[in-house]
């Protein structure tokens, strides 16, 4: 799906979120990347095969 040079990382590679955005829908909270990954604003992901990656946003520092 990627026609960029150099090629974007595949949807199964660890750096998959570095692929370029081909469709952005910030009003709905998601973007489609050129590797067919759907990236959500909460950092969750939907892989092309339907696998779900749960949000992995860093937790805020806990203070006492």
């Amino acid at each position: 799906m990627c026609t960029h040079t150099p090629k974007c990382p595949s949807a199964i590679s660890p750096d998959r979120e570095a692929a370029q955005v081909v469709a952005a829908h910030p009003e709905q909270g998601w973007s489609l990347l050129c590797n067919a990954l759907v990236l959500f604003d909460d950092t969750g992901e939907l892989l092309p095969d339907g696998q779900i990656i749960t949000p992995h946003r860093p937790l805020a520092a806990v203070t006492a």
Side-chain angles (χ1 to χ4, degrees):
M1 187 169 181
C2 180
T3 58
H4 305 104
T5 302
K7 294 268 187 211
C8 290
S10 73
I12 59 171
S13 68
D15 60 344
R16 61 183 161 255
E17 294 175 14
Q20 292 191 16
V21 174
V22 294
H25 293 278
E27 72 282 358
Q28 296 177 356
W30 62 274
S31 296
L32 175 65
L33 306 184
C34 72
N35 58 6
L37 176 79
V38 178
L39 181 63
F40 296 96
D41 287 350
D42 68 354
T43 69
E45 302 170 7
L46 180 61
L47 299 180
D49 65 0
Q51 181 181 359
I52 297 169
I53 307 296
T54 57
H56 49 277
R57 167 181 305 185
L59 296 175
V62 178
T63 58

